[in-house]
């Protein structure tokens, strides 16, 4: 889908929340086990530490915690859209369990899998439900336990990925108001699916022929190039559709894959380095949780304030990528 603007009701951000497991995994801890170093990881990725779930903790737990924070004490929603590629089970989806835990009753609830772009895809899906009158308030969550997909012996992926959850509450509102999302720009390129790939565990090869086939393999350099090019291209498309100039953007919240990817993309767009919002040093790449967690952290530390014009852009396995814009609202 190239940039599409809804002519109907807008989806407006009305709440935000994040969730991280308590367990911190430092670069030094990884370097004690694998052939790498704190210095290599910091200079190549910008990551100092990431979080990992405790035994028994999983995607549903992080999604519930982030969702509860976004809903607020008296919040309610009539739909839950969960972006994840690490659902607790292959079947069913995890979103209905999240809705039940949050006491939302029998609301519509389902998962969206667009890997690291999942949150932008889920926002667009929720905005469509609101525009079409199918829902008034949608809880959009991004949650992933990527440490379950990473080969603990693979130094090319272990340092990069961490676990987390993030969420926003969307309500029906007016297209011009603060917090209104859109337009959206969404794309995919399945020809390049194997750049980030998990061979086994799905219907094509349920039981791994080789035990390592249940882990993700990544062509790091090719992914790096694709991520920069696609996020820049999509950002330009969505800005053009919105009628905004690059110079109008106060905060650039890109998928937290690698600080060098974020900086290179911002540079390609001609955006100042201080517009780049990043928490990657503390959380690593949390896949679908990355953008809402970065937003939640930026609100908490005062980097993102009401009135800021924000560009959200993501890239992930699939390949998938996409962007949207909003003016940050007052949140109670
Ligand atoms: N510690 C030390 N050396 C490592 C290493 C590690 N953790 N991981 C890889 N290396 C080695 C490589 O084996 C390679 O060695 P070689 O030259 O002998 O083959 C060397 O470092 C350089 O690897 P290269 O892949 O060229 O480094 P890079 O500058 O591209 O950085 C990544 C590697 C993975 C950090 C980078 O490619 C990247 O961030 N890619 C995108 C990943 C991503 O964002 N994925 C998710 C997308 S949603």
């Amino acid at each position: 889908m190239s940039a599409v603007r809804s002519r109907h009701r807008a989806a407006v951000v009305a709440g935000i929340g994040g969730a991280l497991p308590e367990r911190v995994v430092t670069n030094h801890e990884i370097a004690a086990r694998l052939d790498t170093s704190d210095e290599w990881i910091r200079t190549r990725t910008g990551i100092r530490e990431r979080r990992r779930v405790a035994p028994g903790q999983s995607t549903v737990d992080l999604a519930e915690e982030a969702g509860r924070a976004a809903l607020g004490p008296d919040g309610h929603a009539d739909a839950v859209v969960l972006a994840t590629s690490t659902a607790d089970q292959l079947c069913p989806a995890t979103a209905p369990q999240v809705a039940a835990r949050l006491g939302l009753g029998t609301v519509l609830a389902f998962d969206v899998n667009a890997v690291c772009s999942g949150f932008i895809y889920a926002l667009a899906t929720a905005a469509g439900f609101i525009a079409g009158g199918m829902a008034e308030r949608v809880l959009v969550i991004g949650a992933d336990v990527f440490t379950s997909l990473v080969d603990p012996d693979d130094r090319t992926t272990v340092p990069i990925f961490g676990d987390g959850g993030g969420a926003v509450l969307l309500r029906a509102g007016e297209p011009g108001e603060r917090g209104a999302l859109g337009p959206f720009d969404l794309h995919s390129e399945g020809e390049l699916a194997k750049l980030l790939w998990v061979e086994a565990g799905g219907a094509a090869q349920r039981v791994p022929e080789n035990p390592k086939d249940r882990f993700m393999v990544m062509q790091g350099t090719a992914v790096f190039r694709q991520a920069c090019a696609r996020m820049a291209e999509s950002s330009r498309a969505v800005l053009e559709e919105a009628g905004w100039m690059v110079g109008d953007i106060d905060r650039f919240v890109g998928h937290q894959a690698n600080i060098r990817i974020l900086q290179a993309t911002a540079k390609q767009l001609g955006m100042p380095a201080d517009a780049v919002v990043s928490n990657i040093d503390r959380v690593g790449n949390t896949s679908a949780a990355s953008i809402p967690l970065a937003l939640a952290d930026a609100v908490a530390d005062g980097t993102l304030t009401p009135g800021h014009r924000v560009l959200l852009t993501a890239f992930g396995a699939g390949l998938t990528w996409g962007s949207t814009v909003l003016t940050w609202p007052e949140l109670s």
Side-chain angles (χ1 to χ4, degrees), residues 32 53 57 92 96 114 127 133 144 170 224 226 229 250 255 261 283 324-325 327:
V53 288
Q57 190 180 25
D144 267 310
L170 299 181
F224 191 108
Q226 284 285 332
D250 301 300
H255 169 51
I261 292 177
V283 300
T324 191
V325 292
T327 300

Side-chain angles (χ1 to χ4, degrees), residues 214-231:
R214 73 184 182 86
F215 295 125
M216 196 190 59
V217 287
M218 178 178 78
Q219 311 299 322
T221 309
V223 169
F224 191 108
R225 288 201 197 105
Q226 284 285 332
C228 295
R230 297 309 197 176
M231 288 200 290

Side-chain angles (χ1 to χ4, degrees), residues 27-219:
N27 289 349
H28 294 289
E29 187 178 339
I30 293 172
R33 214 168 42 75
L34 296 176
D35 182 15
T36 187
S37 67
D38 170 56
E39 204 254 336
W40 193 97
I41 300 169
R42 266 191 297 105
T43 54
R44 296 297 179 111
T45 69
I47 301 168
R48 292 171 186 275
E49 60 189 40
R50 72 290 294 142
R51 300 296 182 96
R52 189 169 70 212
V53 288
Q57 190 180 25
S58 63
T59 299
V60 71
D61 301 303
L62 298 174
E64 178 192 358
E65 189 182 333
R68 199 179 294 285
L71 280 173
D74 307 315
H76 66 278
D78 43 25
V80 175
V81 183
L82 171 62
T84 187
S85 52
T86 55
D88 279 11
Q89 286 77 34
L90 198 61
C91 175
T94 299
Q97 297 163 60
V98 177
R101 285 191 183 193
L102 291 172
L104 296 175
T106 57
V107 296
L108 74 90
F110 59 97
D111 294 357
V112 165
N113 183 352
V115 199
C116 297
S117 309
F119 190 73
I120 303 279
Y121 269 70
L123 286 178
T125 305
F129 272 91
I130 287 174
M134 295 270 295
E136 295 297 315
R137 294 166 72 87
V138 185
L139 184 60
V140 182
I141 307 172
D144 267 310
V145 175
F146 240 67
T147 56
S148 67
L149 283 185
V150 164
D151 176 353
D153 300 325
D154 182 358
R155 71 172 182 172
T156 71
T157 51
V158 167
I160 292 176
F161 294 98
D163 303 332
V168 299
L169 178 65
L170 299 181
R171 64 163 173 82
E174 297 301 317
E177 70 176 289
R178 274 191 184 181
L181 288 167
F184 285 92
D185 179 71
L186 302 174
H187 295 274
S188 74
E189 173 52 284
E191 298 277 339
L192 298 178
K194 292 209 168 174
L195 291 185
L196 278 145
W197 183 259
V198 183
E199 182 71 26
Q205 194 191 126
R206 190 74 199 89
V207 178
E209 285 162 17
N210 172 339
K212 292 283 190 194
D213 285 349
R214 73 184 182 86
F215 295 125
M216 196 190 59
V217 287
M218 178 178 78
Q219 311 299 322

Side-chain angles (χ1 to χ4, degrees), residues 198-286:
V198 183
E199 182 71 26
Q205 194 191 126
R206 190 74 199 89
V207 178
E209 285 162 17
N210 172 339
K212 292 283 190 194
D213 285 349
R214 73 184 182 86
F215 295 125
M216 196 190 59
V217 287
M218 178 178 78
Q219 311 299 322
T221 309
V223 169
F224 191 108
R225 288 201 197 105
Q226 284 285 332
C228 295
R230 297 309 197 176
M231 288 200 290
E233 182 184 298
S234 178
S235 296
R236 284 193 197 98
V238 89
L239 289 177
E240 188 179 337
E241 180 64 20
W244 290 10
M245 310 291 284
V246 167
D248 294 333
I249 299 299
D250 301 300
R251 295 292 177 262
F252 172 68
V253 186
H255 169 51
Q256 308 285 307
N258 180 322
I259 193 67
R260 290 161 51 219
I261 292 177
L262 288 171
Q263 288 165 346
T265 307
K267 194 171 169 196
Q268 274 190 46
L269 288 168
M271 208 167 286
D274 61 6
V276 175
V277 169
S278 183
N279 61 355
I280 195 170
D281 58 325
R282 284 166 286 129
V283 300
N285 179 344
T286 57

